Structure formats: C-alpha cells, structure tokens
Amino acid sequence: MIYLDHAATTPVPKEVADAMYAVLTEQFGNPSSQYQLGLDMKKKVEDWRKTVAGSLGCEAKQLFFTSCGTEGDNWAIQAACWQNRHLGKHIVTTAVEHNAVLEACKWMEKQGYEVTYIAPDGNGGITAEQVLSAVRPDTALVSVMMVNNELGNVYPIADIARGLTVKNPKTLLHTDAVQGFLKVPFAAKSLGADFITLSAHKIGGPKGIGALYIGPRVRNPRPLLAGGGQEGGLRSGTEATAQIAGFAKAVELRTDHLADKLARMADIKAYAVETLSAIPDLTVIGSGAAPHILSVALTGWPSQNIVNDLSGQGICVSAGSACHQGRPSHVVAALDLPKRTAGSVIRLSFGPETGKADIDACAAALRHHHDTRMPML
Ligand code: PLP
C-alpha cells in the first residue's frame, strides 16, 4: 500500500502501540484510585502531560487532554464566548476552517451570535490584516486555523495575536493547530493564542485523544464536562490513560530529529510538485507552505473517480475533506476556481516515512488515469 493521506490520519508506530498495550494490560489503574496502582498512573499521566506540553512550549498545567481535535475546537469556542459574554456576540473566523470550527460557529449563530467568515484569496491565502479588519469592539473570539488541512496554507497566527492587542485586547484568540502541531515551528508561549487545539492521530498517535492549551488570559475557563474533577476540574471523566500514553510516545518519537523529518517532508513535497506538474492538465492548488500537504487538480477528471482508481491500485489519496456527494469541499469552493478545476481536486499528504518511490507510483497512476479515462467535467 502507498499511503499518501497523512493529513487524514497517520500510522501508529510499534513503540506507540507497545506503550498503549502496557497501560491497557499491566498499568491499568485509574489515576483517581488511592492505592499504588492508581497513584502510579496519576504520576504517569502527569509525566505524559509534561511531554506533550513541552513539545507545545507551554506549562503542563495549561494543557488539558480531550477526546479529539473536534472536542478541543468546540470547547475553545464555547469557553471563549462564555468568558466574553459581556463583551459582545461577534465571532471572526475563516471560510476554510475545519468543520469542527465551522459547525461550532454555526451553533453559536443559533445562540444569537454573528459570525464573520473571512474568505481566502484564490490560492487559499488569508492575511492578518483581513482578519483584524473584521474585529469589532463586540468581538468575543477570533478563531483561525494554523495550517489548512486541505491546502497546506499556513496562516499568520502570531501576527493576528499581535494585532489583536491593539484592535481589541479583550478578544480571545483560538487556533486549530491540528495540522500545524509538529509540522510548522511554533511555541504556545510566544504565539499569543489563548486556545490551541491539538490531535494525536495526525502525528503518529492513536485516534481518540487530543489536547487543548488554555492560556493565562482565560480566567476560570468554562468546564467542558462537569463530574469527578479530572483535568483540573475542567474536563471530568476518567482519563483515557492508554490513549494519553500513546499521544506522549508519539510526541517523543516525532520530536526526535524533528527538523530533519520536516526538511525531508518538504523535499518530498517539492519533488511531488515537480513530478506531478509534468502530467498534462494537472495544476497545483493553493500556496501551502506546510511541508506535508499538497492539493492538485487534474482538471476535467472528477476527484472521486481519481481516488477510486488509485485506491484500486493500493494508493491512498483523498478528495479533499472531501468531495461531498460530487460537490467540492467548502475549502475548494471558497477558492472560486473554475468549476471543472474545483471538481478535480485531490489532496496528497506526507509523513516522515514517505519516499520518492511513493510519489513516482502516484504520478504514474495519475498519468494513467489521465491517459485512459475520459474527462467528465
Ligand atoms: N481540525 C483540523 C484542521 C483537522 O484536520 C482535523 C482532522 O482532520 C480536525 C480538526 C479534527 O480532529 P479529530 O479528528 O481529532 O477530531
């Protein structure tokens, strides 16, 4: 199998699975239990928290484990709006966020909030000025993703944070860093965002575990789940200990020689751009600087047919996040591309283990698709 869909999810290395297995079998204690098995697990969970927090550049007490990136996004939006409920009912976000943010914003609209959706340029770019110009005295929250999951565009979170201190210092800033964490360099402490969402399964960790960074400007954050008082009383529920162990192990593995891994991924992306661009009717979509995401369009050939054809040959790529019943995703739709191009976009995404041979095989399959199938758009 040739796996070119690391932005969807990543393979779990054996070391991660082993760490999880040990927790599931031998170290299965509940961190709230008062005997040694539980106390040991409590200490371990705090060690794992330190590992993840260290890689994010924040203090362990600022990092809260969640069940996934979607949960972190939802929690951040609700917590920010709750803190600023007396400031106003306005949110600024972008039209190209993950649905975890967009749907949470739509829910806030039902609660009487007004949401401004910043549109990207034709390459998926969004500037800090665009975002800041939409901020008003009643803006409770700005939520802008760090890296777009379909295009790989990197958005200027630090610039937005700096600008907010002038435009409206009370507005809270959330960034969905699910695709940015350990892919583009940043540290929570210097970034200036009040909330940062992470998800483990994009970096070699298991599915079903994520984290939310909550910064010092968030006072008495609104608990997501009330109950037994876990996660500092903000997200009750017995800790997903095996998942957390896997998350920490994945972080440990990924951060080892991280700069080399990112450079290799960037090289693979450059190689993919060069190799795929030689295919007739193929164009690169977006101007993504992230090293692991590349979208291309084989103009005229429907994305889902390409995905199916490649899948039959054991090659996994995605039709964006994705082509919903033949319609382009909301991200591709926001680019205002010609209809034939928009319907033909596929996403390739890479991991540290992706090699040039994977790209060559994908390029050959795409060329074959182009040469043997009729364009239908
Ligand atoms: N945000 C972005 C940018 C993503 O790419 C994803 C997953 O694809 C999510 C949020 C949701 O993360 P999870 O699958 O952990 O809920």
Side-chain angles (χ1 to χ4, degrees), residues 7-9 66-73 96-101 145-150 176-180 197-202 206-210 293 321 347:
T9 197
T66 59
S67 70
C68 57
T70 300
E71 181 181 314
D73 285 345
V96 293
E97 297 298 307
H98 190 274
N99 276 332
V101 166
M145 67 202 320
M146 186 172 286
V147 170
N148 185 273
N149 51 302
E150 293 189 40
D176 171 343
V178 167
Q179 297 290 352
T197 303
L198 311 181
S199 178
H201 74 103
K202 312 292 187 181
K207 294 162 193 58
I209 183 75
I293 297 176
S321 211
R347 178 189 69 184

Side-chain angles (χ1 to χ4, degrees), residues 304-315:
Q304 196 55 54
N305 292 358
I306 303 172
V307 171
N308 296 346
D309 187 15
L310 267 57
S311 170
Q313 300 169 59
I315 302 171

Side-chain angles (χ1 to χ4, degrees), residues 7 27-28 55 60 70 165 285 310 336 357-358:
Q27 309 163 356
F28 56 86
S55 68
T70 300
T165 61
I285 302 297
L310 267 57
D336 236 353
D358 300 321

Side-chain angles (χ1 to χ4, degrees), residues 84-107:
N84 276 339
R85 62 196 179 283
H86 303 303
L87 186 67
K89 288 194 157 189
H90 179 234
I91 298 171
V92 177
T93 188
T94 80
V96 293
E97 297 298 307
H98 190 274
N99 276 332
V101 166
L102 289 180
E103 291 299 319
C105 284
K106 279 193 195 141
W107 191 83

